[in-house]
Amino acid sequence: MKKWMFLLLILSTMMLNACSLLEGANNSIDYVNQATQHINKLSNFAEQAPQMMKDAALNPETKQELENQLNGLKKEIEQFNLKSVPSFAKDIHQQLVEKNEVLLKEINNVVENGHLALDKLQNSQILTTINDITGLINRITNLGS
């Protein structure tokens, strides 16, 4: 009887360890996917923004769309910075958070009281900062390997 209980205890421990490993792997994959999506959103904005800035000078609807995108990016960045991170990704996440904080300050400088100051956007470093952030994509995707 004691052998069966001991065997059951060992099997239970092994199953818990396996579940823990599987959960860790899922968390790792989730983080890599979330970080990649975050960077892709920033990259998409950086690709569209130059033309939108030109158009926004003549078209109030485009200016409003640009303003909405910046406000959306701001919320996205704030949420991403608060994510729980698997231990293996803490260093890269910290780098992302630091660059995101710079980007948030830049967005706050061009969006005053919720409204876009187009001239400030055109003279800002937002696109350069986004390019710095997108430069981390290879390191993030390698985390998943």
Side-chain angles (χ1 to χ4, degrees):
M1 185 75 161
K2 288 184 182 182
K3 289 181 184 180
W4 286 107
M5 290 178 67
F6 184 68
L7 183 60
L8 183 60
L9 179 63
I10 290 173
L11 288 173
S12 296
T13 302
M14 288 173 58
M15 287 178 39
L16 285 174
N17 286 339
C19 289
S20 179
L21 286 174
L22 184 59
E23 184 177 320
N26 284 341
N27 288 342
S28 300
I29 292 168
D30 286 346
Y31 177 78
V32 169
N33 288 339
Q34 291 169 359
T36 301
Q37 288 174 353
H38 172 69
I39 290 176
N40 286 339
K41 285 180 186 176
L42 295 176
S43 180
N44 289 339
F45 174 80
E47 288 175 17
Q48 297 170 0
Q51 185 61 49
M52 289 182 75
M53 284 188 270
K54 289 178 187 174
D55 295 346
L58 302 172
N59 185 338
E61 291 172 3
T62 304
K63 182 180 177 191
Q64 183 63 50
E65 184 181 341
L66 193 54
E67 182 179 299
N68 293 343
Q69 285 188 14
L70 284 166
N71 285 322
L73 283 179
K74 184 177 172 181
K75 289 177 187 168
E76 158 77 23
I77 292 166
E78 291 168 344
Q79 290 172 353
F80 182 82
N81 285 354
L82 297 175
K83 290 197 176 302
S84 62
V85 182
S87 59
F88 77 93
K90 286 197 186 292
D91 289 340
I92 190 72
H93 184 74
Q94 184 59 39
Q95 289 179 24
L96 267 169
V97 167
E98 289 169 7
K99 291 180 184 292
N100 279 343
E101 290 297 329
V102 171
L103 185 55
L104 276 175
K105 287 179 186 174
E106 292 170 354
I107 291 172
N108 286 332
N109 286 336
V110 302
V111 179
E112 300 170 341
N113 299 318
H115 299 289
L116 173 62
L118 190 56
D119 58 328
K120 286 185 177 184
L121 176 60
Q122 292 167 336
N123 295 318
S124 76
Q125 293 296 310
I126 287 176
L127 299 180
T128 302
T129 303
I130 290 173
N131 285 334
D132 288 346
I133 293 170
T134 58
L136 296 173
I137 193 71
N138 289 336
R139 290 191 54 208
I140 290 169
T141 53
N142 287 337
L143 290 174
S145 304

